[in-house]
Amino acid sequence: MVQSMEQIKDQIKQSGAMTKGPITEDVIVEAEKKLGFKFPKSYREIIKALGVISSDSEEIFGLGVEGYLNVVETTLDERQLSNGNLNGFVVIQNLGMEGVLIVVDEKDNVYEYANGKFKNLDCSPAEYIIREILV
């Protein structure tokens, strides 16, 4: 059964995950300008409602914080390290092993990125986040 975005946000909030939302539209627009990237619909809705998400060892980068969990800071750092391979993507998670990053494109597609290669995970950011945080 496909869940609505409201159901997904409610499930994450009820899971006990740490969040930092809601985030204002102005903050989101400013982040998009800094990145030169328009957040895709599902990721945008999630960060607007929840900011960042942290549950046990799973962390989804977003807004409302500074440093490592901030999607702007982490994406800009990783873009520099990737020699341009991550231009057109935002980094939503660092798996902390073997340099594997989870990235999203503007069309709401999620990829695993490592060593200059992309692997399509065939899901939206919302589906990915649900799988990582709630399962």
Side-chain angles (χ1 to χ4, degrees):
M1 179 176 140
V2 176
Q3 298 180 11
S4 73
M5 186 56 66
E6 286 305 314
Q7 290 171 315
I8 291 168
K9 291 184 288 192
D10 287 344
Q11 279 186 294
I12 292 170
K13 286 178 185 175
Q14 292 170 8
S15 75
M18 182 221 52
T19 63
K20 287 285 187 178
I23 304 299
T24 66
E25 187 66 22
D26 291 346
V27 170
I28 293 171
V29 169
E30 183 63 27
E32 289 175 328
K33 285 180 186 173
K34 286 179 182 175
L35 291 168
F37 180 92
K38 183 153 176 57
F39 293 129
K41 186 177 193 282
S42 71
Y43 180 68
R44 179 182 247 276
E45 288 183 33
I46 287 170
I47 62 170
K48 187 170 189 171
L50 305 174
V52 298
I53 305 166
S54 180
S55 179
D56 297 322
S57 64
E58 301 299 332
E59 300 168 321
I60 304 297
F61 306 151
L63 299 171
V65 295
E66 293 183 15
Y68 171 73
L69 290 176
N70 183 287
V71 69
V72 175
E73 293 178 39
T74 298
T75 297
L76 292 175
D77 288 347
E78 293 295 345
R79 283 180 180 173
Q80 279 190 314
L81 294 171
S82 74
N83 298 318
N85 285 344
L86 292 175
N87 293 347
F89 295 88
V90 291
V91 178
I92 66 165
Q93 189 176 36
N94 182 330
L95 296 184
M97 57 185 184
E98 300 177 23
V100 177
L101 303 173
I102 303 300
V103 300
V104 174
D105 68 13
E106 288 183 328
K107 295 179 180 167
D108 237 8
N109 299 305
V110 179
Y111 299 87
E112 187 178 277
Y113 174 82
N115 302 316
K117 296 186 171 129
F118 292 90
K119 175 184 173 190
N120 190 335
L121 298 182
D122 295 319
C123 62
S124 72
E127 292 165 332
Y128 178 80
I129 291 167
I130 287 291
R131 186 169 64 216
E132 293 301 304
I133 299 296
L134 299 179
V135 177

